[in-house]
Amino acid sequence: MRKILKIITAALALILLIPCVGAASESTSYTYTISVNGEWVRTQDAYLPGEIMLDAGELNAPEDLFLYGGKLYIADVTEDGTGGRLLVFDRKTGRTQVLGEGLLVNPSGIFVNEEAIFVADKGAAAVFKLSHSGEVLLTLSRPDNYLFSDKSIYLPTGVAVTSQGIIFVCGEGAYEGLMQFDRDGEFQGYFAANSTNLSFSERLEELLFSEEQMSQLLNRIPRPLYNLDISDRDLIYTVTQLEANTLWSVAEQDENAVKYHNMAGQDILSSLPVAGEHNFTDIAAYRDGLSYAVTSTGIIYEYMDDGSVVFSFGGMATSDRSGHFTNAVAIDVDEAGNIYILDKERAYVQLFFPTEFANATHEALYNLQNGSYAQSEQIWLDLLSLNGMSLLAHSGYGQVLYQQMRYEEAAREFQIVKNVEKYSECMWEIRNAWFQRNMPLLLAALCLAAAIPRSLRFLRKRGILKKRKSWNSPMWLEVKRQWGYMKGMLRNPFDEFWYLKAREHGSVRSATVIFAAAFILYMLDMCARSFTFHLVDTEQGSVLTVAVLFLIPAFLWVVGNFMVSAINDGEGSLRSVYLASAYSLVPYVLIAPFVILGTYVLTLNEAVVVHYLWAIAILWSAGLLCMSVREIHNYTVRETVKIIFLTLFFMVMAVVVSVILYLIGQQVVLFVKDIVNEVIYHVKS
């Protein structure tokens, strides 16, 4: 007996030593966010799939869901498919209730508030306002109103109601926008229609075509709003389904599929690109400005109130694992942040619950929105430690630093996320602080700089300070002479071009120096401006490409202008064309340094100064270049214009021919390699 007890005791001890595995949800899809480079990057799991509801055959072909008061309201059809119904599922008790049988035909949109249940029924061509017990309180049929055209389509597919009782309805084919009704069901007009972006040729067609011809052009009709929801601030959220071949990116897109409308119907995100896809089916507003949109392929996007992506997760079902969808048609979210997705083909509701990572992100966003910067700082730092490439985390942390007046640190964060506007605001504050600290020294330096020349002149007049002999050296005299030529080019360019042509002014060496200076300043102008005014991102673009864009056009201009003018009775030599082209760049050489330095001192508030100076430098040099063609070759104005266009044509054709020859050369090299390889193969065999 003692042996048996010892064996049992040892077995129990071994069992206790075995590590226990608790029940845990498994992520069936990755979570993504936007990186500081504007690309999708994987991040920690923000939401995990949880409970699957109504998967025991309770649903037939569901179209929409709405969560209210702990109950799920689902638009569905009857078992025989001959009518519609509203299924009410109580999450607490697990009981279901059916409403609207015999009334509904093909319900596709639901909105529920304390007052009533609103159902958009495409099959019945009506919106029904039902009591919570299922009684019909109001029916919104096709409006009999002068504001509603006879050609307008009335097939309601979605509905939302404001806190004031205003009813907004989206419909199939309703390209005029959302239909707006008052609380009594009277049609008030359209709201928040999509726009149609027309090309230049399409605008010409609008001017020339008759009304009958225009009516046959389907691409003139804007896309209807596909679905909608309303926030606690009565802001309307809509989604639009775009073309299937529309590719979206953070940096470039034709139209936002996700829109946030103010009470005037304007999209407050119209100037911002909103990342996403083309096949959105529903959108759900959440608190604190957050919203969730879902695509038919089951990809879920979480957005901030400025259209920035927080997370993206979910996906198309390739197996029976939860968290993926075959045909996601509706989305809603409860107060705890749990997300409910309705899959029409699988006929069930999938729940996602937020992880600690998502809750921490939401807490940081909430604190930032409500001014609790000190509380959110550590959370942002923790999020950055988890994903140092997150655009959201760097932006949030930068805003916290800015609000705490730590402008230099904030500027670094905004530079990382390439937020020029916020970076400029930081630099404005940093510049003001620098001026306040150094104003006495700055004034003293300016006074000293103004006094030194006068003091030197005074000392020379008194014979106390003698002029250095080095100022009369040949090299210095040459510099002074060339500087005089440059000033003459600015004051009287016609005379200066004549002197260049007559070989009385200028030299090949000085022209080469000017070309080299212009090239260096061009490279600095393109690649070395401050972040606020940067033109070329050297991390993304090639510095060699930037250099080629100066050197090749400059070479082709000199050669092309000489060759074209030589066969059109031009009097200028290759030397004179080279010198005139170089000296034409004098305005750019003199002004560009101030432009480049100005980008490090000025902010976006003074951007007009930088842009005007740059434009003056370019236009002045271009004007001198055109004058040089006339003066060097002794042309009339008409002949000058002709030669300029011929030179530009020569430059374009030279580039085209070079590209063609390069491609042909590549093919010849490949052909020769193939022949050599074939010969080697036969020799070895």
Side-chain angles (χ1 to χ4, degrees):
M1 186 67 180
R2 290 181 178 178
K3 289 183 178 181
I4 295 174
L5 290 173
K6 288 181 180 180
I7 293 172
I8 294 173
T9 303
L12 289 173
L14 288 172
I15 292 172
L16 291 174
L17 289 174
I18 296 174
C20 296
V21 180
S25 297
E26 180 186 2
S27 175
T28 57
S29 65
Y30 297 140
T31 298
Y32 293 88
T33 189
I34 302 294
S35 73
V36 295
N37 297 323
E39 300 173 348
W40 291 103
V41 292
R42 185 182 171 188
T43 188
Q44 285 70 23
D45 293 328
Y47 293 87
L48 296 175
E51 177 185 2
I52 294 178
M53 292 164 281
L54 302 171
D55 60 334
E58 294 96 334
L59 299 175
N60 300 311
E63 288 284 354
D64 194 21
L65 68 82
F66 195 92
L67 182 67
Y68 182 80
K71 296 180 180 180
L72 278 175
Y73 295 78
I74 301 176
D76 195 16
V77 297
T78 56
E79 292 184 7
D80 57 8
T82 58
R85 62 175 185 165
L86 189 64
L87 188 72
V88 184
F89 173 67
D90 193 323
R91 290 212 60 207
K92 295 180 180 178
T93 64
R95 297 178 180 176
T96 59
Q97 179 186 6
V98 177
L99 302 176
E101 280 191 318
L103 171 69
L104 303 176
V105 179
N106 186 15
S108 56
I110 308 171
F111 186 89
V112 184
N113 58 20
E114 184 180 1
E115 179 186 2
I117 304 170
F118 297 82
V119 182
D121 193 327
K122 180 173 62 175
V127 175
F128 298 104
K129 179 180 179 182
L130 308 177
S131 68
H132 284 274
S133 59
E135 299 175 355
V136 178
L137 303 177
L138 181 67
T139 301
L140 278 66
S141 301
R142 180 183 178 87
D144 184 12
N145 189 305
Y146 72 95
L147 296 174
F148 196 85
S149 170
D150 293 338
K151 297 180 180 180
S152 297
I153 300 173
Y154 187 72
L155 296 173
T157 56
V159 60
V161 184
T162 70
S163 59
Q164 303 299 318
I166 300 174
I167 305 169
F168 292 95
V169 178
C170 65
E172 186 176 295
Y175 61 87
E176 300 95 337
L178 298 177
M179 294 167 277
Q180 181 177 339
F181 300 83
D182 64 16
R183 63 184 309 111
D184 297 322
E186 289 294 325
F187 181 67
Q188 302 295 309
Y190 293 100
F191 179 87
N194 281 326
S195 59
T196 303
N197 297 321
L198 301 180
S199 64
F200 178 74
S201 60
E202 291 171 337
R203 294 185 185 278
L204 286 178
E205 291 173 355
E206 284 197 338
L207 295 174
L208 301 176
F209 283 15
S210 64
E211 291 186 4
E212 183 178 354
Q213 291 174 318
M214 290 297 300
S215 64
Q216 299 175 2
L217 300 176
L218 299 178
N219 61 337
R220 297 299 190 277
I221 300 175
R223 299 185 181 280
L225 297 168
Y226 191 82
N227 217 328
L228 77 161
D229 198 11
I230 192 165
S231 71
D232 52 2
R233 296 178 293 173
D234 283 344
L235 289 177
I236 302 294
Y237 292 67
T238 63
V239 290
T240 303
Q241 289 201 339
L242 306 177
E243 290 286 357
N245 59 356
T246 300
L247 299 178
W248 277 28
S249 67
V250 178
E252 184 179 22
Q253 60 187 9
D254 294 328
E255 182 181 8
N256 288 338
V258 176
K259 295 182 174 67
Y260 303 163
H261 306 275
N262 58 22
M263 294 310 296
Q266 298 172 335
D267 178 19
I268 60 179
L269 304 177
S270 59
S271 60
L272 301 173
V274 181
E277 297 192 13
H278 66 275
N279 56 348
F280 283 106
T281 55
D282 196 13
I283 189 168
Y286 188 47
R287 57 181 172 83
D288 303 326
L290 297 177
S291 61
Y292 300 84
V294 65
T295 68
S296 60
T297 54
I299 301 177
I300 304 161
Y301 293 89
E302 180 180 359
Y303 296 104
M304 294 170 57
D305 56 359
D306 63 353
S308 302
V309 170
V310 183
F311 301 117
S312 175
F313 57 98
M316 175 70 82
T318 56
S319 64
D320 292 332
R321 300 180 70 184
S322 62
H324 289 193
F325 305 92
T326 304
N327 184 14
V329 293
I331 185 172
D332 208 347
V333 57
D334 63 20
E335 294 180 356
N338 298 314
I339 301 172
Y340 300 77
I341 305 294
L342 178 63
D343 192 319
K344 179 177 181 179
E345 188 165 329
R346 291 183 171 181
Y348 66 59
V349 176
Q350 169 76 66
L351 179 142
F352 287 87
F353 62 89
T355 63
E356 289 299 321
F357 175 65
N359 288 331
T361 303
H362 294 161
E363 182 181 356
L365 291 172
Y366 176 80
N367 289 335
L368 182 62
Q369 188 178 36
N370 290 275
S372 302
Y373 307 116
Q375 292 88 330
S376 65
E377 180 179 357
Q378 187 57 49
I379 303 177
W380 288 117
L381 287 173
D382 293 339
L383 294 175
L384 282 172
S385 66
L386 293 173
N387 189 346
M389 292 293 291
S390 171
L391 175 70
L392 176 66
H394 278 288
S395 297
Y397 184 50
Q399 293 183 55
V400 167
L401 294 173
Y402 180 83
Q403 296 298 334
Q404 293 179 336
M405 294 187 292
R406 295 155 62 181
Y407 300 117
E408 293 185 2
E409 298 174 74
R412 285 194 294 270
E413 295 298 322
F414 291 134
Q415 186 172 3
I416 291 173
V417 300
K418 299 178 177 60
N419 190 328
V420 176
E421 290 78 12
K422 290 293 183 181
Y423 179 87
S424 178
E425 292 177 13
C426 292
M427 297 309 297
W428 192 87
E429 298 288 351
I430 293 171
R431 186 185 64 182
N432 279 357
W434 186 88
F435 274 122
Q436 291 176 6
R437 291 194 309 268
N438 299 281
M439 185 58 71
L441 292 175
L442 187 61
L443 291 175
L446 290 175
C447 293
L448 184 62
I452 287 176
R454 296 190 178 187
S455 301
L456 292 175
R457 285 196 298 268
F458 176 80
L459 293 174
R460 288 196 188 101
K461 286 181 180 180
R462 296 292 186 274
I464 300 173
L465 184 65
K466 294 183 179 180
K467 196 172 184 180
R468 294 180 60 182
K469 294 182 179 180
S470 60
W471 295 112
N472 296 320
S473 65
M475 183 183 71
W476 179 247
L477 291 175
E478 177 64 21
V479 171
K480 289 177 64 177
R481 187 160 46 250
Q482 295 301 329
W483 173 247
Y485 299 159
M486 294 172 67
K487 289 195 298 184
M489 184 63 65
L490 300 178
R491 293 175 179 176
N492 198 340
F494 294 102
D495 290 346
E496 212 50 52
F497 285 130
W498 187 89
Y499 288 133
L500 289 176
K501 179 181 176 182
R503 295 176 177 258
E504 295 185 16
H505 287 176
S507 65
V508 174
R509 182 173 60 183
S510 61
T512 304
V513 171
I514 294 174
F515 260 127
F519 173 70
I520 293 172
L521 289 170
Y522 162 80
M523 294 299 296
L524 293 175
D525 193 15
M526 294 294 108
C527 305
R529 286 188 178 191
S530 72
F531 176 72
T532 306
F533 296 95
H534 75 286
L535 297 176
V536 177
D537 189 351
T538 54
E539 295 180 0
Q540 303 292 332
S542 172
V543 177
L544 180 61
T545 302
V546 177
V548 167
L549 291 177
F550 178 91
L551 296 174
I552 290 181
F555 172 78
L556 291 178
W557 170 265
V558 173
V559 175
N561 186 256
F562 169 70
M563 294 176 64
V564 170
S565 62
I567 60 177
N568 285 275
D569 300 326
E571 298 179 0
S573 62
L574 180 61
R575 177 185 181 277
S576 60
V577 172
Y578 178 73
L579 265 62
S581 300
Y583 278 87
S584 297
L585 298 175
V586 167
Y588 181 78
V589 171
L590 296 178
I591 298 175
F594 296 98
V595 174
I596 298 167
L597 292 175
T599 64
Y600 287 90
V601 178
L602 304 176
T603 65
L604 289 180
N605 293 329
E606 303 93 17
V608 64
V609 177
V610 174
H611 298 327
Y612 276 178
L613 279 178
W614 188 85
I616 289 171
I618 296 298
L619 294 176
W620 198 345
S621 292
L624 290 179
L625 195 62
C626 295
M627 291 181 191
S628 70
V629 175
R630 178 183 178 183
E631 295 302 317
I632 293 298
H633 301 295
N634 195 22
Y635 284 139
T636 63
V637 174
R638 184 175 181 179
E639 290 172 334
T640 301
V641 173
K642 172 187 172 183
I643 294 301
I644 290 173
F645 277 105
L646 288 175
T647 303
L648 295 175
F649 178 75
F650 168 84
M651 295 168 64
V652 172
M653 293 306 299
V655 172
V656 172
V657 171
S658 298
V659 171
I660 293 174
L661 291 176
Y662 172 75
L663 295 175
I664 293 174
Q666 278 189 324
Q667 296 299 319
V668 170
V669 170
L670 292 175
F671 177 72
V672 172
K673 283 184 177 180
D674 290 340
I675 293 176
V676 171
N677 292 333
E678 187 72 21
V679 171
I680 293 173
Y681 173 77
H682 285 290
V683 169
K684 288 183 178 180
S685 60

